[in-house]
Amino acid sequence: MKLTLHVWRQSGPNDVGRHERYEADDVSEHMSFLEMLDVVNERLTERGEEPIAFEHDCREGICGTCGMMINGVPHGPKSMTTACQLHMRSFRDGDEIWIEPWRATAFPVLKDLVVDRAGFDRIIASGGYVTVRTGSAPDGNAMPVPKDDADAAFDAATCIGCGACVAACPNASAMLFTSAKVAHLAALPQGQTERWDRVLGMVETHDAEGFGNCTNHGACETACPKGISIDYIAQLNRDLIRATLNAKPVGNGTRG
Amino acid sequence: MSRVATLYRSTVGKKVLMAVSGAVLFGFVFVHMVGNLKMLFPPDAAGHYAMDVYAEYLRDFGYPLVPHAGVLWIARFVLLVAVGIHIVSAVQLARLSRAARPRGYAKEKSLSLSYASRTMRWGGVILLLFIVYHILHFTTGQAHSSFVAGAVHRNYVVAFQSPIVYGVYFVAQLALCFHLYHGVWSFFQTLGLSHPKYNHLRRPFAVGFALVVFVGFLTPPTLVLVGVVS
Ligand code: HEM
Ligand code: SF4
Ligand code: FES
């Protein structure tokens, strides 16, 4: 199939950037979206031009490294699918495809389609962990977890940190990501020790990183390749309100 | 206290203020709508309209414990504060959003839940303009063609005999309907009032609330316009 691509090209963080038009004439419908870009890049390299920079790692939809706006939708037109798992059969011969990086102050563009998502790491570092006794491994199932809680935690834990929620959100809010991390640990007994400090810390970092405010548009949920539910955002809100209204020291007492 | 300040400083805290002040406003809107249904009743034997009796009752609510119109002024004050908080938070949040994505996409498809969620800001501005007009129209009278203080039923009927006035109110109620459709649902989400067992009821509740308010507010003016209520 033949496609016309409009790809965002930006040589570095300080370049203004622009859309470049490329004709991709030898695309097979069996290729993944990233394989299609690989082929375009080969042609570019052969012509002595700079290949399009994009991030990828597992190409199995599990690592969260890939991700780009494809025709105005994070990860492209197929729901619950990462860009690496999207196949060209989702497009038709002659289609024009616009490819852009995630756009958010908190995700500055490094090059072409690659953005710096270290903001997510800093959100995790400010609460997305549990304290455990190191040494010998604890017995499996030593700590019973009700099935519903285990399921809720597992569903939240499927977030791969790709950033599609931020990209889709009209406010560039990272609440879906943050709430998935908060709710994952809050559902489990192991997560109780730092529960209140966690939500306070992670929301504080979320805001400080320059992510926007959630206004319950729900675009994140639609865009999320893992189907993370915005119910987790309600849970985060509830935990944050509880943590702030609770006057006595909470959690491990590292916050006033 | 410092924790409450932390909440307020966060983006979530501003939304909580938005939700709580919004809840005060939609509580008011609902009561207001129910009150307006008095327009549908005929005058009593002495020729007093139910609407006028009701307006008198509101002015004297709580009397003699409080002075005449005392409770009314307290209510007006609370509403003014709620509107103020609601608008200040809306402006703060809108600015944060703009700062969080100064540059948009060349091609963008909206994935938002609803048209209503995308029109909260402009819909809110329409409502604000409407509230100002509405007060000048029925409370102070400057925007009314022939205002008579205290003659609520009469002022109401005279106003809605004009299709233009009816049109203005219709558009405003439509804007309110959309604002409530997203706002009521959003209220539960923002305050974390969520439970897997009841979450599926939040959307129907918001739809029902928005529709009841829409139909409730517009029924009396419609009946005036077609001449059933006079
Ligand atoms: C004075 C005019 C008004 C303005 C400027 C305004 C503006 C807004 C804005 C910008 C939002 C945030 C929504 C978002 O960004 O997604 C909002 C939410 C809301 N509004 Fe209003 N609004 C007004 C009047 C009202 C009225 C009259 C009511 C009640 C009937 C109301 C009830 C609500 C509720 C309940 C919310 C949801 C809060 C939440 O997100 O949790 N608003 N409004
Ligand atoms: S919540 Fe979904 S869209 Fe957001 S980072 Fe996690 S997997 Fe990606
Ligand atoms: S490359 Fe790992 S999820 Fe796409």
Side-chain angles (χ1 to χ4, degrees), chain A residues 99-130:
Chain A
I99 309 174
E100 301 173 73
W102 296 161
R103 296 256 183 236
T105 306
F107 284 166
V109 175
L110 296 176
K111 190 175 182 189
D112 298 341
L113 304 174
V114 179
V115 300
D116 179 2
R117 284 174 296 169
F120 271 12
D121 298 336
R122 289 186 287 269
I123 292 177
I124 294 288
S126 46
Y129 50 80
V130 294

Side-chain angles (χ1 to χ4, degrees), chain B residues 123-202:
Chain B
V125 172
I126 292 176
L127 288 175
L128 180 62
L129 293 175
F130 167 74
I131 291 168
V132 173
Y133 165 74
H134 181 52
I135 291 172
L136 290 174
H137 190 206
F138 279 130
T139 308
T140 61
Q142 284 88 343
H144 197 283
S145 58
S146 67
F147 187 74
V148 178
V152 183
H153 187 98
R154 182 200 158 275
N155 291 340
Y156 194 112
V157 170
V158 170
F160 289 113
Q161 278 163 349
S162 153
I164 297 170
V165 172
Y166 180 85
V168 169
Y169 276 80
F170 189 91
V171 170
Q173 293 321 305
L174 207 58
L176 181 61
C177 189
F178 279 105
H179 207 80
L180 289 174
Y181 171 80
H182 180 69
V184 171
W185 177 83
S186 202
F187 166 84
F188 293 112
Q189 184 75 4
T190 299
L191 295 185
L193 302 173
S194 102
H195 188 283
K197 224 165 145 182
Y198 305 112
N199 280 353
H200 67 283
L201 299 174
R202 295 183 302 177

Side-chain angles (χ1 to χ4, degrees), chain B residues 61-127:
Chain B
F61 195 83
Y63 180 81
L65 183 63
V66 292
H68 285 286
V71 170
L72 186 65
W73 275 106
I74 292 170
R76 283 173 174 166
F77 178 76
V78 170
L79 287 173
L80 196 64
V81 171
V83 169
I85 291 174
H86 205 72
I87 293 174
V88 169
S89 311
V91 170
Q92 286 175 329
L93 291 170
R95 282 193 174 160
L96 279 169
S97 300
R98 206 149 312 139
R101 177 172 301 128
R103 175 193 189 106
Y105 296 100
K107 191 152 179 162
E108 187 168 8
K109 215 176 124 190
S110 175
L111 303 175
S112 300
L113 285 179
S114 64
Y115 176 76
S117 74
R118 277 176 274 133
T119 51
M120 286 306 270
R121 288 178 187 149
W122 283 111
V125 172
I126 292 176
L127 288 175

Side-chain angles (χ1 to χ4, degrees), chain A residues 34 55-66 82-84 160:
Chain A
L34 301 191
E55 278 194 282
H56 58 98
D57 189 8
C58 70
R59 298 205 177 199
E60 306 189 304
I62 55 171
C63 74
T65 311
C66 68
T82 54
C84 59
I160 54 177

Side-chain angles (χ1 to χ4, degrees), chain A residues 2-231:
Chain A
K2 282 180 198 285
L3 301 169
T4 304
L5 310 180
H6 301 269
V7 184
W8 182 258
R9 300 306 306 264
Q10 182 174 336
S11 62
N14 298 319
D15 182 18
V16 285
R18 71 217 64 85
H19 279 280
E20 296 277 0
R21 185 187 162 109
Y22 299 101
E23 305 296 334
D25 293 341
D26 44 3
V27 175
S28 148
E29 59 172 18
H30 303 300
M31 289 175 180
S32 76
F33 199 81
L34 301 191
E35 283 164 344
M36 182 276 291
L37 287 179
D38 290 338
V39 170
V40 171
N41 275 345
E42 266 175 45
R43 303 282 174 271
L44 286 176
T45 314
E46 283 163 8
R47 293 208 302 262
E49 291 176 40
E50 183 77 8
I52 302 161
F54 63 90
E55 278 194 282
H56 58 98
D57 189 8
C58 70
R59 298 205 177 199
E60 306 189 304
I62 55 171
C63 74
T65 311
C66 68
M68 56 197 80
M69 282 305 246
I70 301 169
N71 279 344
V73 180
H75 293 297
K78 204 151 186 281
S79 74
M80 302 272 284
T81 307
T82 54
C84 59
Q85 290 289 296
L86 178 68
H87 283 80
M88 297 315 292
R89 51 183 168 269
S90 298
F91 298 89
R92 259 174 298 156
D93 191 33
D95 272 1
E96 292 205 28
I97 306 179
W98 289 76
I99 309 174
E100 301 173 73
W102 296 161
R103 296 256 183 236
T105 306
F107 284 166
V109 175
L110 296 176
K111 190 175 182 189
D112 298 341
L113 304 174
V114 179
V115 300
D116 179 2
R117 284 174 296 169
F120 271 12
D121 298 336
R122 289 186 287 269
I123 292 177
I124 294 288
S126 46
Y129 50 80
V130 294
T131 306
V132 291
R133 189 178 65 87
T134 53
S136 56
D139 282 348
N141 295 331
M143 193 180 286
V145 180
K147 175 81 168 92
D148 285 350
D149 294 348
D151 286 349
F154 190 85
D155 285 348
T158 56
C159 164
I160 54 177
C162 63
C165 43
V166 177
C169 176
N171 307 305
S173 175
M175 270 301 155
L176 192 63
F177 166 80
T178 309
S179 70
K181 302 305 171 191
V182 164
H184 165 204
L185 298 177
L188 297 171
Q190 294 89 335
Q192 298 311 307
T193 316
E194 292 101 345
R195 179 168 179 180
W196 312 109
D197 288 345
R198 173 182 307 118
V199 67
L200 287 164
M202 290 179 85
V203 170
E204 200 174 302
T205 306
H206 168 278
D207 295 352
E209 288 292 332
F211 292 108
N213 58 285
C214 169
T215 53
N216 306 327
H217 279 269
C220 51
E221 185 182 80
T222 314
C224 176
K226 297 293 148 181
I228 302 287
S229 161
I230 53 175
D231 288 348

